[in-house]
Amino acid sequence: MADPLGERDRASEALDLVAAAAGPYLETLTSRPVHDPAAAGLLDGLGGELPEDGEGSPATIEELVRIGTGAATHSSGPRFFHFVVGGSTPAAQAADWVTALLDQVAGLWATSPLAAEAETVALRWLKDLFGLPATHGGVLTPSATYANLTGLAAARSWWGERHGVDVSADGLAGLPAMPVLSGGYLHPSSSKALQVLGCGRDTARILARDDAGRVDLAAMDRALTELAGPAVLIGNAGEVNTGDFDPIDELADLAERHGAWLHVDGTFGLFAAVSPQTAHLVRGVDRADSVAADGHKWLNVPYDSGVAFVRDPAVLGRTFGAWNAPYLQSAEDTRLNYNNLSAGSSQRARALPIWATLRAYGRQGYRAMVERHHDLALRLGELVEAAPELELLAPVRLCVTCFRYRKPGATGPELDELNRRLGEALLADGRVYAGTTVYRGMTALRPAIVNWRTTEDDIELLVSVVRELGARLAA
């Protein structure tokens, strides 16, 4: 098999193999370990020299399915609590197959009215879900990092305009450093966005009132007064260690008082808006100038998927629309041409899984999922507090539970080393996945619960495995 043209009349054979494998694989996700160390040898099957004559798609896909279903990290299952990783709802997963099947050139109406219209509808539905004004502009991105980059790029354009400069056309040369202020919950993705934008990765001024990172509003007020010019504030909705929130409404007050731009990193925390039980955590987010969120976290759509919203839609066009290519639409013609609203130009139709999952489960489906996960995080906190060898390190705010294993008589450094080894043991064991972090100077576990499959049984297994491995390491 040397030319794919030879498979034109039986192109679906490879797809049939994947479809046949999907059912058995998905049915076992609730019982599989997250990672099977014994399957590591399967990865050797990916190697070797580039074939001179290919094996054809059926044999190749059959081998890939065999290796993948055995050696993959089963992060789409219910016990992957490391980082903040969702799964894929049935509707989103199926729609992602449709996305690959149709293989649309998304971003321009001329190349795919289907992809453009699906993105428009998906953005409208997401604004409705999150309680954002319908007048906000928006664009889908590959991830929350790109969503933060999109929002902060819009902020940079706005800031340049306040200095009489079109930074999209002329760059930053001759301008002072753009002031960026945040509390201690600033995520590395925002820092990375500032780095890529030429503003400097470490230029954000952190104003925190304690070692947990809670924002110091009084200090931020004073700093804005001293600056006496345009500045950018970053509010953080859902801090990764504990799930805590900056007071977005009060940050919006500061931004309005001082004429600043407020960007909110709502990577997973924006989903608090979906439930009346948690919506108070993001009160004021509708007043932000830009908001970033992730789809492949709590929306439970396949990787990769992010979204950026901007209060003034025209800013996105001014920031990203000047292509200077005769065959592309002008910067002024941004109707449904999403390439003009983000840094990308070639992208898959990532709107289709978002459209499908929102169509399939609706507002009430996502409210039920957010509330269930919040309840599970609270339940995990209760189990931690009931276990004498475990210690809850922070209140449970949303979907993250921060705790550590403790050994009687152990010092702080000894506990840090014990919990570091415990984190490594959890990943090596593979039954559940939960990594470590450093919170208030302490090494801790911080499992995040955002997968639609997760139930109380999975939470109880997590605690059981932590206690088992912790006791073994502490002995």
Side-chain angles (χ1 to χ4, degrees), residues 64 92 123 133 143 194 321 326 352 374 402-403:
L64 180 59
L123 288 166
S143 66
L194 292 171
L352 298 183
H374 179 53
C402 185
F403 67 99

Side-chain angles (χ1 to χ4, degrees), residues 15-359:
L15 296 175
D16 292 339
L17 289 169
V18 178
Y25 175 73
L26 294 173
E27 288 166 6
T28 61
L29 271 181
T30 56
S31 58
R32 283 176 179 262
V34 179
H35 179 70
D36 182 4
L42 289 171
L43 297 177
D44 295 338
L46 296 174
E49 299 296 324
L50 173 67
E52 190 64 34
D53 292 312
E55 299 177 359
S57 62
T60 299
I61 296 304
E62 192 170 44
E63 179 69 355
L64 180 59
V65 166
R66 183 185 72 84
I67 295 171
T69 55
T73 301
H74 306 298
S75 52
S76 56
R79 294 182 298 279
F80 190 98
F81 305 114
H82 201 9
F83 305 106
V84 186
V85 175
S88 294
T89 65
Q93 192 164 59
D96 201 53
W97 289 21
V98 175
T99 302
L101 174 68
L102 301 178
D103 194 23
Q104 298 292 279
V105 182
L108 293 173
W109 173 265
T111 57
S112 179
L114 167 68
E117 184 64 17
E119 184 159 351
T120 298
V121 174
L123 288 166
R124 174 163 56 84
W125 286 353
L126 287 171
K127 285 184 283 188
D128 188 8
L129 186 70
F130 297 137
L132 296 174
T135 53
H136 274 36
V139 65
L140 299 181
T141 68
S143 66
T145 298
Y146 277 95
N148 278 322
L149 186 145
T150 301
L152 290 170
R156 187 187 64 171
S157 292
W158 165 88
W159 176 81
E161 290 168 2
R162 296 301 179 276
H163 289 275
V165 175
D166 180 353
V167 297
S168 296
D170 302 320
L172 296 169
L175 288 170
M178 183 175 79
V180 180
L181 310 178
S182 176
Y185 293 161
L186 184 73
H187 190 269
S189 66
S190 292
S191 300
K192 188 174 186 178
L194 292 171
Q195 171 186 337
V196 172
L197 290 169
C199 300
R201 181 192 63 207
D202 301 325
T203 56
R205 184 174 172 185
I206 305 301
L207 300 168
R209 57 186 171 88
D210 57 26
D211 61 353
R214 296 180 182 89
V215 63
D216 188 333
L217 293 170
M220 189 170 284
D221 192 12
R222 291 193 297 271
L224 289 167
T225 300
E226 292 167 3
L227 285 169
V232 175
L233 310 183
I234 298 180
N236 302 281
E239 186 263 349
V240 293
N241 289 326
T242 67
D244 200 11
F245 287 70
D246 284 333
I248 304 301
D249 213 24
E250 294 175 74
L251 287 173
D253 289 340
L254 285 178
E256 289 182 5
R257 187 181 313 144
H258 294 278
W261 178 287
L262 174 60
H263 172 75
V264 173
D265 178 0
T267 301
F268 66 89
L270 187 58
F271 284 83
V274 176
S275 168
Q277 295 179 13
T278 53
H280 64 280
L281 295 170
V282 288
R283 186 177 297 115
V285 72
D286 57 312
R287 302 168 60 197
D289 296 284
S290 55
V291 182
D294 229 339
H296 50 241
K297 289 184 170 57
W298 222 340
L299 193 62
N300 277 239
V301 299
Y303 276 74
D304 50 15
S305 178
V307 59
F309 302 103
V310 176
R311 185 196 296 193
D312 179 4
V315 174
L316 287 175
R318 295 198 298 271
T319 303
F320 296 108
W323 291 98
N324 296 318
Y327 65 93
L328 297 175
Q329 284 79 358
S330 70
E332 289 74 29
D333 181 14
T334 59
R335 188 181 74 89
L336 298 175
N337 295 316
Y338 287 100
N339 280 359
N340 290 338
L341 306 181
S342 71
S345 54
S346 298
Q347 55 188 297
R348 71 200 309 263
R350 60 174 58 92
L352 298 183
I354 297 174
W355 177 90
T357 198
L358 292 173
R359 176 73 169 258

Side-chain angles (χ1 to χ4, degrees), residues 33-35 37 79 81-82 403 405 418-436 444-447 461-470 472-473:
V34 179
H35 179 70
R79 294 182 298 279
F81 305 114
H82 201 9
F403 67 99
Y405 192 93
L418 173 61
N419 281 275
R420 184 192 66 78
R421 293 170 57 210
L422 175 56
E424 292 178 349
L426 280 169
L427 301 185
D429 178 86
R431 283 174 288 173
V432 295
Y433 246 44
T436 58
L445 302 171
R446 34 80 61 218
L461 178 63
L462 170 64
V463 173
S464 175
V465 173
V466 167
R467 297 179 72 180
E468 172 196 328
L469 298 179
R472 187 184 306 164
L473 291 169

